[in-house]
Amino acid sequence: MSTSTSTDQHDPGQAPETATEAATATAEKAKLQRHFGRADIFFFLVCTLFGIDGLGTLATQGGAGFSWLLVCLVLFAVPSAMILAELGAAYTDEGGPYVWTRMAFGRAAGAVNNFFYWVTNPVWMGGTLVATAASGLLVFFGTGGDATSKALLYGLGIPFIWAGVLFAVLSFRVGKWIATIGAYARFALMGLFLVVIALYAAQHGVHGIGAGDFAPSYSSFVALVPLILFSMVGFELPSAAGEEMENAAEDVPAGIAKSVITTGLLYGLPVLGILLVLPADQATGLAGFPDALKQALTVLGGEVHTGADGTVTSTLSGLGLVAGWAMGILIALVAFTSGLTWIMGSDRTLAVSCYDGAGPRSLGVFSSRFGTPLRVNVLSGLVSTVVLVATVEITSGDAYKLFTAALSLAISTTLISYLGIFPAALVLRRRDPDTPRPYRAPALPLLTFLSCAAIVFCTVQVLFPGLGDSWFAGDYLPEQWTHGERYTFLLTELVPLVLFVALGLWFWWAGRAHTRRLGAPLSPVEQGPHPAG
């Protein structure tokens, strides 16, 4: 059974919950259902951490993409995984990422930070993931990844979003199997990709990349590291369902350890494959992986054509065409389950924050039947739909611009939220040393510094690509954007960020207002962050 206890029992720096808050939390937690075992955590993390929306972008920088991937794995993924393994094993409450931030820095910080953590996912699902699924399907079922239209994006995107909401509403007893299917889809997709890459190399050879191509540069750092960090966060997500786990204290560290290794392999091997099959000047951030896969599948049936301008196109036939259809479906399934697992986890953190007094009480409700935050699930679907409509209309159905703008916003909001989560481990270890820690991260101050420094630098570069060298120009120019559009790009990032801060503060105010209406006194932490010590 889980070792979960109440959040305030862990936090000696604040007063006990009010009777109203305690009763509310108890009533909502009574609806939770335990269906989350060690294997489920691992498969959930595989879906959370590995997505294909960034594989093509990594390949656009040639061997440097692979080099930066290894650097980030060692200096960011491993340190952050150890930090989150300690938090997830020691503090096993439902809504873990919110709970940790709230305990360390108070409800105001917890509310704003958690809003960023949550809102990233409907933005990501309604923008980037819809574009990724559309591109993968079009490469194999249509005329190519650039043939998207408004009608197609809406026709695919709306069912894509609301099917995700439906599965998120269902209990982990059902939802965990969707995540398991998504994990196996990743294994199948990457396994088949590596097989056809080997067959293609044996038949046609490879275009070749020299040792010098792997040399990293500052421009490739700015272009790739924010995306890589975005791809390597999420080790904490299963802890959003901490009280739905069978044994969080033991299973969380074990699941995280296995997922670090698996994630490194799932990203590293395909990137090498793309570099070997598809030259960097032919890769695009949106369709790079499907294009490389399609070209490799011609060994099973099909042809590769090189135009007068050097453009390479692939046509599949026979077994290659059938295999391509299967690959297109797998790509869409991978994109779908990426969004689903994040929605399942982040929606729980938002619901917990709302019944904890850091958001509107009406959203802090779990379904008695399913044990899931149904109201927040529906809210996520609505936000995703709005994002889909806004990005499609703003970009006039241009899938490439939709992909780039939505991905940049998702990266920035995601990375910002970890500025509250990562330092919480260090603060809580100092302020709450008596809580048992089944896993203790070594050199925690150094791990925290590495993780947070990387987050801060990359967030700045997402908003101002190339700042300090050549902002929004040359190698720092986002794909499909021009230098003259730099302020348009900046506004598409800054305006939502400012709005999200305001909404996070409103959530905190709404939680305080609800407590006051009930006549319950505010605890010190509800009045704002309390002093450390």
Side-chain angles (χ1 to χ4, degrees), residues 367-459:
S367 165
S368 299
R369 179 179 178 183
F370 300 111
T372 56
L374 189 151
R375 295 180 184 179
V376 180
N377 294 152
V378 173
L379 177 63
S380 289
L382 293 173
V383 173
S384 290
T385 303
V386 170
V387 170
L388 173 65
V389 172
T391 50
V392 168
E393 295 303 322
I394 290 172
T395 62
S396 299
D398 186 330
Y400 288 97
K401 280 193 174 182
L402 183 157
F403 175 84
T404 304
L407 181 59
S408 295
L409 181 59
I411 290 173
S412 61
T413 52
T414 297
L415 296 184
I416 288 171
S417 70
Y418 285 89
L419 293 177
I421 296 172
F422 288 149
L426 191 60
V427 172
L428 292 175
R429 187 187 282 189
R430 179 170 60 88
R431 294 178 51 189
D432 187 23
D434 296 330
T435 291
R437 286 169 169 76
Y439 171 81
R440 292 180 67 90
L444 186 57
L446 175 61
L447 300 182
T448 304
F449 172 78
L450 287 173
S451 301
C452 291
I455 290 291
V456 170
F457 180 82
C458 289
T459 300

Side-chain angles (χ1 to χ4, degrees), residues 194-271:
L194 294 176
V195 169
V196 295
I197 282 290
L199 293 174
Y200 187 90
Q203 182 172 331
H204 299 288
V206 295
H207 72 76
I209 49 175
D213 295 327
F214 287 93
S217 64
Y218 183 74
S219 61
S220 62
F221 176 86
V222 170
L224 295 177
V225 172
L227 174 63
I228 296 173
L229 263 58
F230 174 73
S231 301
M232 290 183 172
V233 295
F235 294 105
E236 78 296 331
L237 193 65
S239 294
E243 293 180 54
E244 297 170 73
M245 294 181 183
E246 295 173 359
N247 190 342
E250 295 182 7
D251 293 347
V252 166
I256 288 177
K258 289 187 290 186
S259 66
V260 170
I261 299 171
T262 303
T263 300
L265 292 173
L266 286 174
Y267 276 119
L269 294 177
V271 169

Side-chain angles (χ1 to χ4, degrees), residues 326-373:
M327 296 300 99
I329 293 171
L330 284 174
I331 288 171
L333 181 59
V334 168
F336 175 75
T337 51
S338 289
L340 175 62
T341 52
W342 275 98
I343 290 293
M344 289 171 67
S346 64
D347 282 4
R348 281 166 165 77
T349 67
L350 187 66
V352 169
S353 70
C354 290
Y355 74 55
D356 187 57
R361 179 65 187 91
S362 59
L363 293 177
V365 177
F366 281 73
S367 165
S368 299
R369 179 179 178 183
F370 300 111
T372 56

Side-chain angles (χ1 to χ4, degrees), residues 288-302:
F289 175 72
D291 281 341
L293 179 55
K294 186 176 183 179
Q295 184 170 328
L297 283 172
T298 57
V299 301
L300 302 179

